[in-house]
Amino acid sequence: MKLTGSQILIECLKEQGVDTIFGFPGGAVLNIYDELYRARNEIRHILTSHEQGAAHAADGYARATGKVGVCIATSGPGATNLVTGIATAYMDSVPMVAITGQVATTLLGKDSFQEVDITGITMPITKHNFIVKDVDKLADVVRKAFFIAREGRPGPVLIDICKDVTAACAEYEPKPPKRLPQAPIGVDEKDIDEAAEIINSAKRPVILAGGGVSIAGANKELLELATTAKIPVTTTLMGMGAFPGTHELYTGMIGMHGTRTTNMAVSESDLFIAIGARFSDRVISDVRRFAPKASIMHIDIDPAEIGKNISVQYALSGDIKKILKLLNQRVEKKEYTDWARKINEWKELYPLKYSQDSKLHPQYIIERMYELTKGEAIITTEVGQHQMWAAQFYKYTSPRQFLSSGGLGTMGYGFGACIGAQIGKPGKKVINVAGDGSFRMNCNELATAVEYKLPVIIAIFNNHVLGMVRQWQDLFYDGRYSSTTLDRGTDFKALAEAYGAIGINVTTREDVDEALKRALASEDAPVVINFEIDRDEKVFPIVPPGAPISELIEE
């Protein structure tokens, strides 16, 4: 049958099972929005306040559900406003399809109104991108984009569609989504045998679980491996929830703001097994002194990651879930070892701690958040001190429960992601842990949350400064607080109420539970809780720049 390009796009989205799109209209996508209006009973469009909010919402939707997130923007500034969200998704391997409008094919390359080379701009931050100049190719491009976004190591794909293509007609034939191929194990049986033998003979092994474990759905296989061989497990920031934070073998996060137990265990280990992690600088710090006594085994679906940042003695590149299943058939069952007991001693000696005085401490707020939600909320974060407190003091027990910008470190990410996660998981309570600096970057999305009656909670840890930057200035720049003080007099409670949300101020420890319970009881309105905390609160432990991870500052 003959359809316009816009109709073909919508039909292809329906083929792919898309039920939600986050976006903002404009001239180059008017034809598409006209068809979205007609398809409004099948595809829900969420109108965000800013295109960057749409990209982050699509990202949060994808992370929370495991589906492909979809966002749309017009040409020029609309498209460029998606760039930070696309880069955020790329760094954290999030499956997303970004659709942008483009000027008509006859106007390309002429500096036309709202023309920008968005495929050129996004080439380094997408798995692939397309510009569609021929309506006959549109359907195939859309189908390829969704396949590429999901296949192998997931990531964002951009489709740039010229406006005349959305109006032109072509033959359309429905097709079911292309099934993802069975991911190859990627390694020989002898490689698995050797890896199992190495694990069985290790005296002081440690497992690092990264975000790839959750993406692969391999958390059960990881749990079996760790409990069978009694191997302590740490996680990266992106790996939160891949291994239960309440488990006796869990040692806490690794790296710059990791626990002393974890960083000591890694530094004393004789076998370091990294699974679905990319050895970022925040994990390894001084590469020459990382895990100095250990052989390193790296299991990852992306062969480009193996050996990229650190030398690896044992490489297993392929499907993580399948590799772990094969390892579990070969790994010997062990009782608690001296090594596991030593780790438990360190956990007793070096717990995460903070002052127990009567002040309102952010760590206490996170602990109460955990208790009152019974550890079942989806937590999104902005970027900064609050992000680390949320990682350290909330115990994540399942994948897709902690959504945070790990690779790019995007301030302003969390609220959009919170909106996307709430829409993707309407039965869950979703809380965005924010700093006042980050919230200033995305508070406009309160209009979105109010319009769609989303019962999200925004917990602002308001210290009136850019907390993490100020902490570095205090520790490493002799207290020269250059441009990090935010005493701007903004009344966040009044701001929330102006948008139609519920606003709450909390200044004392005694008021924390009442505020959180009130917020958790909301069923059809967002709640902003402004927690007034001290500007000199710091995230500890911290590894100074250039130091090995075993050399932590703890207070």
Side-chain angles (χ1 to χ4, degrees), residues 186-187 191 195 296-300 306-307 312-317 323:
V187 291
D191 296 324
I296 294 179
M297 181 183 295
H298 194 177
I299 305 172
D300 203 279
I306 295 178
V312 172
Q313 285 72 51
Y314 307 101
L316 298 173
S317 178
I323 290 172

Side-chain angles (χ1 to χ4, degrees), residues 327-344:
L327 281 174
N328 285 332
Q329 295 169 10
R330 294 161 169 80
V331 167
E332 296 171 357
K333 184 174 179 61
K334 294 183 180 178
E335 299 304 319
Y336 268 92
T337 62
D338 289 342
W339 174 238
R341 281 188 281 273
K342 172 60 75 175
I343 297 290
N344 283 332

Side-chain angles (χ1 to χ4, degrees), residues 444-460:
N444 54 346
E445 295 303 339
L446 274 170
T448 309
V450 168
E451 178 181 356
Y452 295 99
K453 296 181 168 55
L454 302 178
V456 295
I457 299 170
I458 302 92
I460 305 172

Side-chain angles (χ1 to χ4, degrees), residues 323-523:
I323 290 172
L324 291 183
K325 279 184 176 179
L326 291 173
L327 281 174
N328 285 332
Q329 295 169 10
R330 294 161 169 80
V331 167
E332 296 171 357
K333 184 174 179 61
K334 294 183 180 178
E335 299 304 319
Y336 268 92
T337 62
D338 289 342
W339 174 238
R341 281 188 281 273
K342 172 60 75 175
I343 297 290
N344 283 332
E345 287 175 15
W346 285 341
K347 285 166 70 173
E348 291 286 332
L349 284 170
Y350 308 116
L352 288 170
K353 58 184 185 293
Y354 61 95
S355 174
Q356 295 300 310
D357 61 24
S358 60
K359 290 182 181 178
L360 179 57
H361 293 289
Q363 302 91 336
Y364 174 79
I365 298 168
I366 297 292
E367 287 180 338
R368 296 309 301 150
M369 198 178 285
Y370 171 74
E371 292 294 334
L372 292 171
T373 61
K374 299 180 173 61
E376 295 177 354
I378 293 174
I379 305 295
T380 70
T381 79
E382 307 296 345
V383 170
Q385 289 177 315
H386 57 277
Q387 177 188 31
M388 294 300 112
W389 290 318
Q392 291 174 330
F393 289 92
Y394 198 102
K395 297 179 180 68
Y396 303 94
T397 55
S398 60
R400 306 191 181 283
Q401 191 184 1
F402 178 75
L403 316 183
S404 191
S405 173
L408 198 64
T410 305
M411 287 181 68
Y413 165 80
F415 196 2
C418 183
I419 287 170
Q422 186 70 77
I423 287 169
K425 291 286 189 179
K428 299 288 282 187
K429 183 57 68 173
V430 185
I431 304 173
N432 180 40
V433 177
D436 51 313
S438 289
F439 188 63
R440 292 171 198 275
M441 294 186 174
N442 58 24
C443 59
N444 54 346
E445 295 303 339
L446 274 170
T448 309
V450 168
E451 178 181 356
Y452 295 99
K453 296 181 168 55
L454 302 178
V456 295
I457 299 170
I458 302 92
I460 305 172
F461 287 33
N462 187 0
N463 52 12
H464 300 272
V465 294
L466 296 175
M468 188 62 86
V469 185
R470 177 186 167 91
Q471 176 168 331
W472 276 58
Q473 288 173 336
D474 191 28
L475 296 177
F476 310 122
Y477 289 84
D478 296 325
R480 296 186 293 276
Y481 303 125
S482 178
S483 299
T484 49
T485 300
L486 300 176
D487 284 330
R488 292 174 172 172
T490 306
D491 184 336
F492 289 121
K493 177 179 182 292
L495 179 68
E497 291 169 347
Y499 274 104
I502 299 167
I504 304 172
N505 277 330
V506 175
T507 57
T508 68
R509 186 184 182 106
E510 291 72 29
D511 293 333
V512 170
D513 278 22
E514 181 184 348
L516 287 172
K517 287 176 182 177
R518 181 183 171 194
L520 290 166
S522 176
E523 296 181 352

Side-chain angles (χ1 to χ4, degrees), residues 25-85:
V29 289
L30 272 174
N31 294 329
I32 297 171
Y33 269 81
D34 197 41
E35 290 306 321
L36 272 174
Y37 178 83
R38 291 186 173 94
R40 62 189 181 277
N41 293 328
E42 297 170 273
I43 298 178
R44 185 184 188 190
H45 178 270
I46 303 298
L47 177 64
T48 56
S49 297
H50 192 282
E51 292 91 350
Q52 186 170 324
H56 292 325
D59 174 307
Y61 177 93
R63 294 195 206 209
T65 65
K67 301 177 184 177
V68 178
V70 182
C71 58
I72 185 169
T74 194
S75 62
T80 57
N81 281 344
L82 293 178
V83 168
T84 298

Side-chain angles (χ1 to χ4, degrees), residues 6 10 59 91 101 122 130 158 160 183 207 211 231 281 305 310 324 339 355 359 363 367 409 453 528 533 544-545:
S6 296
I10 299 304
D59 174 307
M91 290 290 282
T122 59
F130 303 88
L158 180 130
D160 195 36
I207 292 173
I231 303 175
D281 56 298
E305 287 296 344
I310 199 163
L324 291 183
W339 174 238
S355 174
K359 290 182 181 178
Q363 302 91 336
E367 287 180 338
K453 296 181 168 55
V528 175
I533 65 170

